[in-house]
Each structure stands twice: as C-alpha cells, then as structure tokens.
C-alpha cells in the first residue's frame, strides 16, 4: 500500500507545488493508464483465484498499520527524528555546520537551498519527495526504522546541496579557514559512516 501511496502523494504534491497541472494533462493521463492497467490485471487475476479473501486481508492489513501499532511497533511523532539522530548524526552535524558557514547570508534551511515557488522542477520534486516520505511514516501508528528508507535519498541530496552552498559562501568570502573546517567536518562524517558500516559488517 505504501509503495503506491507514497509515489502517488509525491506526484500530487509536486504538481500542486508547480501549479501547472493543465499543461501536463497528457503525461499524467498516460502515467495513470500505465499504472492502472498492470495493477487492475493483477487484481483481477488474484480475485479469480479466491475472490476477495486475499485482497481483503491485504487491505485490512495496510489499514491496520496506519490506524494502530502492529506487533507493538509503537512510537511518538518524534520517532523518525530520533532515528535520524541515531543513524545519521554525522550528516546532521555536517548540515548544521553548513548553516553556520552560510550565516547571515541565509537564515533558514529553505533559503539555503534557494527554494522558492518559482524554483526549478528539480527542487520542487526534491521538497515533495522529502516531505511526503517523512510525513506519511510519521502519521502512521506503526513505527519501524526501515519505513524511513524512501526518505534517505532526498535527505542525502538536501545535505549535499547545503554543503555546496556553504562552500560557495566560504569561497565568496575568501574564508579559507572556514572552508577547511567545513571540509574537515565532511571528511570526518564520511569516515565515521564508513567505519560504522565496516564495524557492523564484522
């Protein structure tokens, strides 16, 4: 269910952000047809085996994950924020350092990425992706760490963009010491992440 809901919600959010759905009517219709044809074909094939026995369980199982914790996988609304602090603290520190470098050139995370309503489609997609993949697992009552996996690619791109802007700011100010400090933070973060992966693998 989430494998369908998340991409669909991202498309809706992206189109709402751009506000120009009329000019993209044909691609959206084509995408809807390409989605519905195989899904409906599979649904009909599954229904022909045992009626709605399997499909009903599939539906109720997905609804149960949203409305109530399954298998005691509970958590507060800050559950995934804590997951990020636990497993991605290195890059959160690097992102915080980038904001420090950019001050007072920028005061908010959005302006750090130069994200405005007239921004490019790529930025609109990035924000839609990050917001939806973080919001939906947060709203769901069943909380597990791997539900955050679809969020990580957008998180990685956001952190990378913030670091790029910070290096640009340091270069503009001709602050080599500041750029060196930021580079050191990035190298340490990368080394810590790779070291943890090797440690866990062994």
């Amino acid at each position: 269910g989430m494998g369908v809901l998340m991409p669909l919600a991202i498309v809706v959010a992206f189109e709402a952000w751009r506000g120009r759905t009329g000019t993209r009517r044909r691609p959206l219709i084509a995408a809807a047809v390409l989605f519905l044809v195989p899904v409906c074909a599979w649904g009909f094939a599954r229904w022909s085996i045992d009626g709605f026995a399997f499909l009903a369980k599939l539906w109720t199982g997905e609804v149960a994950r949203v409305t109530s914790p399954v298998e005691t996988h509970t958590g507060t609304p800050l559950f995934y924020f804590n997951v990020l602090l636990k497993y991605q603290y290195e890059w959160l520190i690097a992102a915080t350092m980038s904001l420090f470098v950019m001050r007072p050139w920028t005061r908010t995370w959005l302006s750090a990425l130069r994200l405005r309503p007239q921004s490019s489609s790529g930025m609109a997609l990035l924000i839609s992706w990050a917001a939806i993949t973080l919001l939906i697992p947060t709203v769901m009552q069943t909380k597990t760490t791997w539900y955050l996996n679809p969020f990580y690619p957008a998180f990685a791109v956001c952190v990378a963009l913030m670091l790029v802007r910070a290096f640009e700011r340091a270069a503009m100010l001709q602050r080599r010491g500041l750029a060196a400090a930021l580079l050191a933070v990035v190298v340490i973060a990368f080394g810590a992440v790779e070291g943890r992966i090797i440690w866990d693998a062994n």
Side-chain angles (χ1 to χ4, degrees):
M2 291 301 106
V4 174
L5 179 60
M6 278 190 179
L8 180 60
I10 292 172
V11 170
V12 172
F14 172 73
E15 293 296 335
W17 180 289
R18 295 186 63 193
R20 294 182 297 172
T21 55
T23 61
R24 295 171 54 85
R25 187 172 301 166
R26 289 183 179 179
L28 289 175
I29 292 175
V33 171
L34 291 175
F35 165 75
L36 289 173
V37 169
V39 170
C40 291
W42 176 87
F44 177 77
R46 182 66 225 193
W47 173 83
S48 64
I49 296 175
D50 54 9
F52 288 103
F54 174 81
L55 296 176
K57 289 182 179 180
L58 182 65
W59 171 255
T60 55
E62 291 297 329
V63 172
R65 294 178 184 275
V66 175
T67 58
S68 61
V70 175
E71 298 177 354
T72 68
H73 292 300
T74 60
T76 68
L78 295 177
F79 178 86
Y80 293 106
F81 177 73
N82 293 330
V83 170
L84 286 174
L85 287 178
K86 182 177 180 180
Y87 296 107
Q88 303 295 331
Y89 62 88
E90 302 95 343
W91 296 118
L92 288 175
I93 293 173
T96 302
M97 177 66 177
S98 71
L99 289 177
F100 173 80
V101 171
M102 287 184 288
R103 68 183 182 90
W105 177 64
T106 180
R107 297 183 181 276
T108 65
W109 180 81
L110 290 180
S111 60
L113 297 180
R114 300 173 184 171
L115 295 172
R116 296 179 293 275
Q118 65 270 29
S119 298
S120 65
S121 297
M123 286 299 185
L125 177 59
L126 179 61
I127 287 296
S128 301
W129 184 352
I132 293 301
T133 53
L134 184 60
L135 179 62
I136 289 180
T138 299
V139 171
M140 294 175 61
Q141 296 301 307
T142 302
K143 302 285 196 300
T144 62
T145 56
W146 60 269
Y147 281 1
L148 202 58
N149 287 352
F151 170 78
Y152 287 133
F155 172 76
V157 174
C158 287
V159 172
L161 287 173
M162 294 173 72
L163 291 172
V164 168
R165 299 291 185 258
F167 279 114
E168 288 178 349
R169 175 64 174 172
M172 184 178 67
L173 295 176
Q174 297 182 351
R175 299 284 297 276
R176 294 183 179 180
L178 201 57
L182 182 59
L183 179 60
V185 170
V186 173
V187 172
I188 292 173
F190 180 80
V193 171
E194 293 300 316
R196 189 175 64 212
I197 293 174
I198 294 173
W199 177 270
D200 292 340
N202 296 329

